């Protein structure tokens, strides 16, 4: 690495710094996309280590490795790190790299804001992780931070609250950037209904983020003031109500899970047509379905609260509204299958991940439908059935979409083809071990195992053992992914502009890798 | 490869639906239902699971067919169609109708679960960190229900018993065939009272009372767990319900009431009695082993800073008034140290304080009498 000085003699960008300062001061959407993706991968491995510690403890009945207090810190932090540190930044990384390229724009609307949106993340992550060292350790109230338990927590809770605030600011700024870019900087001829679906999913996701991140900020600020400034939002003795926290949190929380999946739908909608050599089926339906899912996501939040004691009318409303989301989601799945139907399909690694996504995310969707039925949810809420459900949609869903996107676009970004054999191996290992880890958890929940427990009754032992083995297999397989990515960055078969025979879209008209600055003159889109 | 996996998954699904196939250690389905509500939930789940499996097979049958027949490598050439409004309408409307079909029976069960009217009896359930308390409002009896699995089993120094983590000292006893209304609340944080065999789960929210109900069909012992994260021992506060025929239930109530009057008479006598150091220490050792050891550990060293050490601790070896105050009235700084006056008798508290001041290497030498504790209640 060259020494960092203002006007270094780096490559062709004579006015740009090199070395570390390049990365610290960059306003280039490609650089910032790369920063987000590496950050998210580091957080993914961090959250993964916590998960493996959890599964190591749960390998057998009894307490072997961690005390219950530390176990609860691990489950809490695993959730916070994966949601806010891994999944969300990964999708923002894709937005940064791909949105300008796909709409024919030279960069994002606010390049300096873009830099700051990223650089808020490492300090927030450090604040969150160092909360383990606070007296009493990290917060152990679950990623959902319910009061009054979260009010009992030590200073690790306050550190987490500040980290969440910083992460929220980053997301809001990023979303403003994305919306402004998409609405104002499309190339001439690219109407909204001609945009690639990935761009649509990010446009909608950005609106969701702006709507709900402030709500989360409100919820955790009320926690902060209840903890330190004598308010009683969540304390009945002071006229408040613990359930208020749940309403505010889940009003954020439900749209949040769609924030974590819609860009994944977008990526899959890019991959399937490419490897079927056929246009996406039902483009307008796909746009309307995505928008419907986003709008519906605002009126279903209390399906996370079916057991709080709300009246039957409340339970029924939220049951019906939640079941409704199955309709546009099903429409999307059917449209993907119709895209493949009578295409000319090939099964390279991105396609494998997209197919795995459709197959496994749909399973997660079905268990979500089961959970939407209130009487069934009464049995299954707070059990391992829920844990299975959300890992199917977030890991086999969002994470597989992210992997698919990386394999799809890595040749474009680096100029080299990745090792196809190793990529396929990464897919199959992930697929098999993921299912080993999480499929059996459905049975654990049905049989009566609660979640967030470090120990369990003997009838749950066999499936826990299987789940733990699967988890370790899955975790280790991700090291293979790291190797594939590093190997591809370092070299490999030269990638053409189009890379994939069935690829369509502006990004595939550029060289691989694209120049530092692209589309300084906008292309005309017919 | 994918198809083999799909087939085995389908097989597993169908086996689960069969329901009967439930080897005790690899149970695939909900627990055996023991109330009408639990039955309805079980059936609802079976039907919905079947519908999902059928849709799954249809949709992924189509997808795998396409993967097989419409591959470039077998020579298939891509057609270019990319929209069809009719088909979009069909696959929007049909799922919508299926959902309505699911919602109707579900609605009936929701309304049935909420109907707590005309109960035969009412029990108040209170969640504590980390145990339950049951108060029979019609019979004026009440008691705590705490996990009895020994720490040696949890820490892997002894083989685990059959009901590991699902056994308590005092079970909730109810008569079969009677509608029992439960009023559920909590003392500190949110817990949840859950008995899977009954199909009952209700959050226990501090400062609020929510209700639910159940009517047990047949006699037996039914076990459940706390179902809302409530702190470090969330996994260690089970629920055990013993459903017995009405005659046995009435006997049990009578027993509880006479025990209660014995205890209060004894307690009244105790308050003024003066015990010896050994009597206090042995009472205290029992209390410590049941109540204090989870946080302060068997060797008294605790897990600082959250669970302070009693061995050589400032309070345990300091002025006796401070020691009495923190045990009786709880800690203002650390809510996990509750006000034990609500859960332990004066004799028990006097015993445990005496025990702590004279164990774990502490040799303070003093002792506390129950009447000192009675005086310290704030």
């Amino acid at each position: 690495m060259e020494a960092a000085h203002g006007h270094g003699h780096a490559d062709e960008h004579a006015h740009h710094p090199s070395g570390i300062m390049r990365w610290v001061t960059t306003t280039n959407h490609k650089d910032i996309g790369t920063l987000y993706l590496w950050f998210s991968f580091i957080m993914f491995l961090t959250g993964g280590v916590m998960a493996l510690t959890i599964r190591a403890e749960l390998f057998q009945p009894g307490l072997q490795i961690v005390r219950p207090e530390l176990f609860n810190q691990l489950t809490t932090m695993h959730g916070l790190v994966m949601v806010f540190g891994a999944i969300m930044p990964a999708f923002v990384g894709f937005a940064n790299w791909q949105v300008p390229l796909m709409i024919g724009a030279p960069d994002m609307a606010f390049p300096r804001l873009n830099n700051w949106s990223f650089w808020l993340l490492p300090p927030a992550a450090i604040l969150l992780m160092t909360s383990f060292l606070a007296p009493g350790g990290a917060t152990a109230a679950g990623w959902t931070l319910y009061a009054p338990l979260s009010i009992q927590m030590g200073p690790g809770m306050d550190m987490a609250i500040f980290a969440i605030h910083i992460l929220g600011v980053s997301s809001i700024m990023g979303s403003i950037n994305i919306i402004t870019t998409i609405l104002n900087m499309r190339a001439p001829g690219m109407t909204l209904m001609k945009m690639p679906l990935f761009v649509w999913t990010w446009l909608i996701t950005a609106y969701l983020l702006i709507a709900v991140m402030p709500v989360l900020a409100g919820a955790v600020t009320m926690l902060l003031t209840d903890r330190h400034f004598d308010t009683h939002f969540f304390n009945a003795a002071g006229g408040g109500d613990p359930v208020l926290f749940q309403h505010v949190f889940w009003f954020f929380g439900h749209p949040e899970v769609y924030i974590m999946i819609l860009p994944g739908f977008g990526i899959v909608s890019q991959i399937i047509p490419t490897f079927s050599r056929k246009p996406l089926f039902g483009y307008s339906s796909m746009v309307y379905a995505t928008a419907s899912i986003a709008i519906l996501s605002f009126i279903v939040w209390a399906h996370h609260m079916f057991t709080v004691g709300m009246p039957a009318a409340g339970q029924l409303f939220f049951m019906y509204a939640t079941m409704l989301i199955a309709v546009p989601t099903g429409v999307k799945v059917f449209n993907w299958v119709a895209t493949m139907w009578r295409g000319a399909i090939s099964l390279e690694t991105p396609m494998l991940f997209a197919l795995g996504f459709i197959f496994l995310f749909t399973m997660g969707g079905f268990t979500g439908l089961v959970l939407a039925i209130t009487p069934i949810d009464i049995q299954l809420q707070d059990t391992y059935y829920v844990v299975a459900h959300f890992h199917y949609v977030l890991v086999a869903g969002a994470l597989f979409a992210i992997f698919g996107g990386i394999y799809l676009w890595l040749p474009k970004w680096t100029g080299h083809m990745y090792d196809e054999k190793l990529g396929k191996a990464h897919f199959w290992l992930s697929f098999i071990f993921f299912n080993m880890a999480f499929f059996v958890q459905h049975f654990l929940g049905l049989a009566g195992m609660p979640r967030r427990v470090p120990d369990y009754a003997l009838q749950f032992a066999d499936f826990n053992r299987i789940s733990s083995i699967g988890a370790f297999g899955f975790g280790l397989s991700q090291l293979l992914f790291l190797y594939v990515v590093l190997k591809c960055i370092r070299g490999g078969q030269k990638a053409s502009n189009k890379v994939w025979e069935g690829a369509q879209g502006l990004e595939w008209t550029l060289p691989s890798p694209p120049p530092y600055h692209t589309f300084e003159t906008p292309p005309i889109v017919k | 490869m994918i198809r083999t996996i799909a087939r085995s998954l389908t097989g597993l699904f169908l086996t689960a639906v069969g329901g009967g196939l439930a080897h005790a250690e690899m149970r695939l389905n909900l627990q055996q239902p023991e109330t009408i509500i639990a039955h309805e939930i079980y059936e609802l789940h079976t039907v919905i699971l079947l519908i999902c499996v059928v849709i799954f097979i249809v949709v992924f049958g189509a997808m795998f067919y396409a993967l097989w027949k419409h591959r470039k490598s077998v020579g298939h050439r891509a057609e270019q169609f990319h929209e069809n409004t009719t088909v979009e309408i069909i696959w929007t409307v049909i799922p919508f109708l299926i959902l309505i079909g699911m919602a109707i029976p579900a609605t009936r069960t929701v309304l049935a679960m909420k109907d707590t009217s005309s109960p035969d009896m009412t029990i108040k359930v209170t969640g504590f960190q980390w145990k339950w308390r049951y108060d029979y409002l019609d019979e004026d009896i009440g008691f705590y229900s705490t996990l009895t699995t020994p720490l040696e089993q949890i820490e892997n120094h002894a083989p685990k018993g059959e009901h590991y983590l699902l056994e308590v000292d005092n079970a909730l006893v109810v008569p079969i065939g009677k509608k029992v209304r439960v009023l559920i609340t909590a003392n500190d944080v949110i817990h949840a009272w859950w008995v899977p065999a009954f199909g009952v789960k209700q959050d226990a929210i501090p400062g609020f009372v929510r209700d639910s109900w159940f009517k047990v069909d047949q006699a037996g012992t039914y076990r459940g767990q706390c179902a809302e994260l409530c702190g470090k021992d969330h996994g260690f506060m089970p629920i055990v319900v013993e459903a017995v025929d009405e005659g046995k239930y009435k006997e049990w109530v009578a027993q509880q009431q006479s025990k209660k009057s014995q205890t209060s008479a004894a307690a009244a006598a105790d308050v003024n009695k003066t015990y010896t150091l050994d009597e206090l220490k042995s009472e205290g050792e029992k209390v410590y082993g049941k109540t204090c050891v989870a946080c302060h550990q068997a060797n008294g060293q605790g897990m600082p800073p959250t669970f302070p050490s009693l061995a050589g601790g400032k309070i345990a070896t300091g002025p006796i008034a401070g020691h009495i105050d923190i045990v009786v009235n709880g800690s203002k700084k650390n809510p996990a140290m509750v006000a034990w006056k609500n859960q332990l008798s004066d004799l028990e508290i006097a015993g445990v304080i005496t025990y702590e001041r004279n164990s774990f290497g502490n040799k303070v030498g003093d002792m506390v009498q129950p009447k000192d504790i009675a005086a310290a209640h704030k």
Side-chain angles (χ1 to χ4, degrees), chain A residues 63 67-68 72 152 278 282 285 307-308 310 320 323 335 342-343 345 378-379 381-382 447 450 455 501, chain B residues 31 70 72 76 79 82 88 99 107 114 129 154 156 164 196 201-203 210 225 227-228 231 303:
Chain A
L63 295 175
R67 304 178 321 259
N72 290 344
Q152 279 186 353
K278 196 162 153 281
S285 294
T307 58
V308 288
M310 72 176 91
Y320 301 148
M323 290 170 78
N335 275 284
R342 301 224 185 114
I345 300 170
I378 299 295
Q379 287 285 44
Q381 198 228 40
D382 263 286
D455 195 3
E501 188 189 11
Chain B
Q31 289 187 17
H70 302 155
K72 181 167 189 226
H76 196 269
E79 303 187 22
H82 58 90
E88 298 280 358
L99 290 177
T107 303
K114 278 291 181 180
Q129 282 172 313
I154 298 177
N156 310 299
Y164 178 72
K201 181 185 289 155
Q202 180 58 55
D203 284 0
R210 309 280 186 222
Q225 292 188 262
E228 185 59 64
M303 267 171 296

Side-chain angles (χ1 to χ4, degrees), chain B residues 215-244:
Chain B
K215 186 197 253 193
V216 191
D217 298 330
Q218 60 174 347
T221 306
Y222 307 108
R223 302 171 196 270
Q225 292 188 262
C226 177
E228 185 59 64
L229 179 65
C230 56
K232 77 177 190 72
D233 283 343
H234 163 60
F236 302 96
M237 46 181 291
I239 294 137
V240 178
V241 182
E242 269 169 33
V244 297

Side-chain angles (χ1 to χ4, degrees), chain B residues 282-353:
Chain B
S282 97
E283 171 72 22
E285 191 174 5
K286 272 194 289 161
V287 175
Y288 189 88
K290 207 171 88 145
T291 308
C292 321
V293 68
C295 298
H296 292 289
Q297 305 301 299
N299 57 11
Q301 288 175 11
M303 267 171 296
T306 321
F307 307 116
S309 173
L310 304 176
K314 259 199 330 206
I315 296 180
T317 57
I320 207 160
H323 196 164
I324 294 177
D325 182 54
I326 199 168
V327 177
V328 169
N329 297 308
S331 162
K332 287 160 214 52
K333 276 195 306 177
N334 189 346
M337 180 66 182
V338 299
W340 293 102
K341 66 179 177 213
N342 295 322
Q343 297 185 41
L344 300 174
S345 72
D346 294 343
L347 171 58
E348 288 173 315
I349 295 181
V352 81
I353 292 177

Side-chain angles (χ1 to χ4, degrees), chain B residues 54-348:
Chain B
V54 168
I55 299 176
F56 193 83
I57 292 175
V58 168
V59 172
F60 290 97
M63 186 174 105
F64 289 130
Y65 182 84
L67 285 177
W68 177 33
K69 284 284 197 202
H70 302 155
R71 259 177 305 149
K72 181 167 189 226
S73 60
V74 300
H76 196 269
R77 303 190 25 128
E79 303 187 22
Q80 293 297 308
F81 62 83
H82 58 90
E83 61 187 357
N84 184 323
T85 312
T86 311
V87 123
E88 298 280 358
I89 294 178
I90 293 177
W91 66 39
T92 304
V93 169
I94 292 185
F96 183 73
L97 295 174
I98 295 176
L99 290 177
I100 295 187
M102 293 177 181
I104 294 173
T107 303
R108 263 187 247 125
T109 307
V110 168
L111 296 173
M113 290 169 92
K114 278 291 181 180
D115 180 12
T116 55
S117 60
S118 316
D120 294 310
M121 56 185 286
T122 306
I123 302 178
K124 179 176 147 195
V125 175
T126 309
F128 283 78
Q129 282 172 313
W130 289 280
K131 61 184 71 164
W132 294 96
R133 179 173 172 89
Y134 301 117
D135 289 288
Y136 288 66
L137 301 181
D138 308 313
E139 319 286 5
D140 201 26
I141 49 185
F143 49 85
Y144 289 93
S145 183
T146 315
L147 175 72
T148 48
T149 299
L151 215 52
E152 301 87 65
Q153 288 187 23
I154 298 177
E155 291 178 346
N156 310 299
H157 303 309
K160 296 173 171 53
E162 185 193 354
H163 297 299
Y164 178 72
L165 296 192
L166 294 176
E167 50 202 349
V168 297
D169 47 11
N170 306 307
L172 180 72
V173 179
V174 294
I176 53 174
K178 298 284 184 201
K179 183 169 181 176
V180 180
R181 181 177 179 219
V182 278
L183 299 177
I184 300 176
T185 185
N187 182 63
D188 33 45
V189 298
I190 301 181
H191 302 262
W193 197 78
W194 176 38
V195 183
F198 297 172
V200 170
K201 181 185 289 155
Q202 180 58 55
D203 284 0
I205 301 168
F208 293 84
V209 180
R210 309 280 186 222
D211 65 352
S212 189
W213 70 275
F214 58 87
K215 186 197 253 193
V216 191
D217 298 330
Q218 60 174 347
T221 306
Y222 307 108
R223 302 171 196 270
Q225 292 188 262
C226 177
E228 185 59 64
L229 179 65
C230 56
K232 77 177 190 72
D233 283 343
H234 163 60
F236 302 96
M237 46 181 291
I239 294 137
V240 178
V241 182
E242 269 169 33
V244 297
D245 67 58
E246 195 165 359
K248 276 227 191 68
Y249 173 70
K250 289 206 163 76
E251 269 177 43
W252 175 85
V253 170
Q255 245 176 38
Q256 291 296 307
Q257 285 173 333
S258 78
K259 220 175 23 160
K260 182 169 154 219
S261 44
Q262 282 174 9
T263 327
S264 25
D270 282 345
V271 167
N272 291 308
K273 181 171 165 197
T274 302
Y275 292 83
T276 67
L277 182 62
D278 284 331
E279 284 173 326
L280 289 168
K281 275 168 65 177
S282 97
E283 171 72 22
E285 191 174 5
K286 272 194 289 161
V287 175
Y288 189 88
K290 207 171 88 145
T291 308
C292 321
V293 68
C295 298
H296 292 289
Q297 305 301 299
N299 57 11
Q301 288 175 11
M303 267 171 296
T306 321
F307 307 116
S309 173
L310 304 176
K314 259 199 330 206
I315 296 180
T317 57
I320 207 160
H323 196 164
I324 294 177
D325 182 54
I326 199 168
V327 177
V328 169
N329 297 308
S331 162
K332 287 160 214 52
K333 276 195 306 177
N334 189 346
M337 180 66 182
V338 299
W340 293 102
K341 66 179 177 213
N342 295 322
Q343 297 185 41
L344 300 174
S345 72
D346 294 343
L347 171 58
E348 288 173 315

